[in-house]
Amino acid sequence: STCRALNDFSMNTPVCRIAAIQMVSGPEVDRNLAEADRLIGEAAAAGARLAVLPEYFPLITGDETAKVRIREQEGAGPLQDFLRDAARRHKLWLIGGSCPMAADSPDKVKNSTLVFDDDGRRVARYDKVHLFGFRKGEECYDESATIEAGNEVVAFEAPCGQVGLSICYDLRFPELFRAMGEVDLIVLPAAFTYTTGQAHWEILLRARAIENQCYVLASAQGGRHPSGRRTWGDSMIIDPWGEVLARLPEGPGVVVADLDPARIAEVRASLPALRHRKIS
């Protein structure tokens, strides 16, 4: 409820440091996992209690069927083992951008965000609902060819408050974020294309923060991949007023900022737009 957001949360929850991890993943899973582990270590050393990996962190390749070959069943597999172990070793909550998980169709995957607490326990899973399709000149993407869409909205309680999960193309669908309820943080792992990122990435992220009066953490793929694909990057953390607190334009690295419950309360009290909504 709004009362919780304005009172209980702001009074009882301390400032929480959060981290967005940016990568430039390639076709070798083991190398990607080693790089992810290095960057998670950087986030932990910077004091982060929650860190978010980008979409497709284990694998980006020109072969769109490669992710089907490494897909995992619920609860078991090397990607899930890596996330569980990394969260426990680095003593932080870890949101695993997206992993290819088993789908109903034998030639597709679910593009899934998996969340592990600092004891390595799986606490949430979100399957990407909106599947990206884009065509401009020779640039063409059709996620529905290899990905099966999810159909559930997911939010969970973490040390930094209520967290809503989304992935990449979901950013363009504000109704998904409204359906999360009043969250304190939205996370959006992504592999935005350079073309669409240059045009829309920042403005959409800031809009989601402003209209939901919460923090937004976007962890992106950012650079030229071995396959030749170029992703936009610009991982960032945005506050509830839409101010960009920290960002990394391109290349691997970590973006860190503090989520301050008092800031959420201040914004919601001074401009109570969430209470003024007429359509739900």
Side-chain angles (χ1 to χ4, degrees), residues 140-163:
C140 179
Y141 299 93
D142 180 12
E143 287 189 330
S144 65
T146 54
I147 297 175
E148 192 172 276
N151 57 15
E152 293 186 3
V153 179
V154 178
F156 67 96
E157 192 73 22
C160 55
Q162 190 77 0
V163 180

Side-chain angles (χ1 to χ4, degrees), residues 194-210:
Y194 191 88
T195 303
T196 58
Q198 187 176 42
H200 302 143
W201 174 250
E202 180 178 343
I203 195 168
L204 288 173
L205 287 170
R206 294 178 71 186
R208 298 295 85 84
I210 293 165

